[in-house]
Amino acid sequence: MANATAVINLDIEGPKISRHLYGHFAEHLGRCIYGGFWVGEDSPIPNEGGIRLDVVEALRALNIPNLRWPGGCFADEYHWKDGIGPRDQRPRMVNTHWGNVEENNHFGTHEFMALCELLGAEPYISGNMGSGTVQEMSEWVEYLTRDGDSPMVRLRKANGREEPWRVKFWGIGNETWGCGGNMRAEYSADLSRQYATYCRDHGDNKLYRIASGATDADYKWTETLMQQISCFGCEATPKNFFQGLSFHYYTLAGPWEAKGSATVFDTDDYYRTMASAQKIDRIITGHSTVMDCYDPGRTVGLVLDEWGTWWDVEPGTNPGFLYQQNTLRDALVAGTHFDIFHRHADRLYMANIAQTVNVLQAMVLTDGDALVLTPTYHVFEMNKGHQDAASLAVHLRTEGARRRVGDAELDTLSASASVKDGSVLISLSNLDAEEPAEVTLDLRGGSIGEATARILTADGLQAHNTAANPAAVRPRPFDGLKATGQGLALTLPPHSFLTVQTSLG
Ligand code: AHR
């Protein structure tokens, strides 16, 4: 059994954990939008203006800070003017990236903004740089955010929306190294500068422009983009063209060609998955280090706008729809990511799980009128108190909490902590598949009030929720907290995620 002491100084606050690290992603892919978020006004499934209300209700409990849309790869073949005006007159297109299915454009700009309003989430719009034009992107910003009178404002008003919306987050392309145009980094950097120039701040709506960045550990891409971040010498005070730089990282148990099943896997697959998840720490450090060279004042945010597990699609489903089940393993991947994100709060500004409904590592799965909350959903819910809290460094001293996984080492204990308005939240994961871990929380620099804990675990790593058994994996109260002279002690069962909530005394 592993032993660990986690030393936390309650009186030394670290950088703020941006709430946007708990961001989401909805693409026109498979059943994420159609059948997931959107059922149409005539559906027997309860909806508001076509948007599914059971999905909205479930997601509101997560305090979703932002929602990225319309892609992904789809964003770079999406032409926004096809998605406005009377629905029955909207042009159709083929979604060539995802299943070659026909897209009827019934879910467009107005529907997305209504969805964000229902969720209480900020919109993050991903503009088309791969097959669109500078004018098209510029006009989309004008349509959404300009007040007064202008051609795009008149068009918006004709479509029933008087007031401009507020949109902060604006993506300039997506995966430009691949599906977004197969560009070289140098070309992508120049093009991003050009597009960003014409994505104007209208009135007091200030855009946070996010340049499409690297995949995985492609630090060279990040360096090339960072070299072009501002026009040094053009103005007395150089201004950044983009405020954020993205990168993507997916967790797999092996190579892309052999991703494996979401639910049928063995312990070795599980440990490989966890080792792959923990790699994100090194990768964030790599990108941040490169960014520090060009932006030592950290004015540019690092944005991981796609992350999560990627398995084979569920048997019998469309391979282009990326529909996968979600087990306790996925939940532990999420918990581990969040601990790492919190440690990088000084540079990592936003992260978006791929994707929110029915695609990849989803929060909710729908089937007709049925809705199931996944184990990953529960991690987002249990961790929501970290949003916009001050991070507290966790110094972990462990014994026996390491495993060799191929040529990598896996830390089987993971933790993070934060404080907000006098309320302390500590997240702990025991990633060991078989062994429990004894953990002492050595809380210094302050006293605490009463502590409560919740635990997410199950008999097997493969446990998952279905319509027939929707609560196989769900958080339960944990009554194993023991007060010590200077904190708390507990035994973490194998493969478990746990949160401790307390207050500063
Ligand atoms: O999330 C699925 C796809 O993964 C996105 O469309 C793309 O950006 C990435 O390759």
Side-chain angles (χ1 to χ4, degrees), residues 136-155:
E136 183 183 7
M137 198 186 288
S138 169
E139 287 183 340
W140 202 3
V141 178
E142 179 186 330
Y143 185 90
L144 281 154
T145 65
R146 195 174 171 87
D147 204 355
D149 189 38
S150 80
M152 289 304 112
V153 172
R154 286 195 287 279
L155 184 58

Side-chain angles (χ1 to χ4, degrees), residues 25 27 29 72-73 98 174-175 248 250 306 310 355 360:
F25 175 31
E27 180 165 13
L29 193 178
C73 297
W98 305 119
N174 169 73
E175 296 194 350
H248 292 172
Y250 284 97
E306 289 185 29
W310 195 318
Q355 301 191 3
L360 299 177

Side-chain angles (χ1 to χ4, degrees), residues 133-344:
T133 64
V134 178
Q135 181 182 0
E136 183 183 7
M137 198 186 288
S138 169
E139 287 183 340
W140 202 3
V141 178
E142 179 186 330
Y143 185 90
L144 281 154
T145 65
R146 195 174 171 87
D147 204 355
D149 189 38
S150 80
M152 289 304 112
V153 172
R154 286 195 287 279
L155 184 58
R156 185 186 72 227
K157 289 183 177 175
N159 288 325
R161 172 82 187 192
E162 278 294 311
E163 297 301 315
W165 287 283
R166 293 197 78 82
V167 179
K168 179 175 175 188
F169 301 117
W170 198 272
I172 317 271
N174 169 73
E175 296 194 350
T176 54
W177 44 264
C179 67
N182 286 308
M183 303 173 196
R184 294 173 309 113
E186 292 77 7
Y187 181 70
S188 181
D190 283 341
L191 211 55
S192 306
R193 286 168 57 130
Q194 185 188 349
Y195 273 73
T197 304
Y198 297 95
C199 291
R200 306 288 192 193
D201 289 339
H202 294 283
D204 62 356
N205 188 81
K206 300 272 174 278
L207 291 180
Y208 183 99
R209 298 165 191 80
I210 300 169
S212 168
T215 182
D216 301 344
D218 186 351
Y219 308 128
K220 184 81 187 70
W221 187 285
T222 295
E223 175 156 40
T224 306
L225 267 283
M226 286 306 294
Q227 283 167 345
Q228 300 302 329
I229 197 80
S230 66
C231 185
F232 295 107
C234 296
E235 299 169 40
T237 315
K239 201 171 103 225
N240 289 345
F241 289 110
F242 1 96
Q243 290 67 48
L245 178 57
S246 82
F247 79 106
H248 292 172
Y249 179 73
Y250 284 97
T251 294
L252 287 88
W256 280 99
E257 315 73 58
K259 296 186 287 297
S261 158
T263 54
V264 184
F265 57 88
D266 61 23
T267 311
D268 287 345
D269 296 327
Y270 164 74
Y271 281 129
R272 277 201 304 276
T273 306
M274 290 304 144
S276 165
Q278 281 186 357
K279 266 194 201 157
I280 189 66
D281 195 9
R282 214 166 3 107
I283 292 176
I284 296 173
T285 303
H287 291 298
S288 303
T289 305
V290 171
M291 291 174 83
D292 282 349
C293 298
Y294 297 90
D295 175 38
R298 302 200 173 149
T299 60
V300 182
L302 182 59
V303 172
L304 173 57
D305 51 13
E306 289 185 29
W307 69 275
T309 54
W310 195 318
W311 312 121
D312 291 343
V313 298
E314 287 304 305
T317 65
N318 187 327
F321 281 13
L322 309 187
Y323 175 73
Q324 65 190 38
Q325 247 298 355
N326 192 298
T327 66
L328 181 62
R329 171 175 66 164
D330 297 83
L332 295 172
V333 166
T336 301
H337 271 74
F338 284 129
D339 290 337
I340 294 166
F341 292 171
H342 300 162
R343 287 203 287 276
H344 288 279

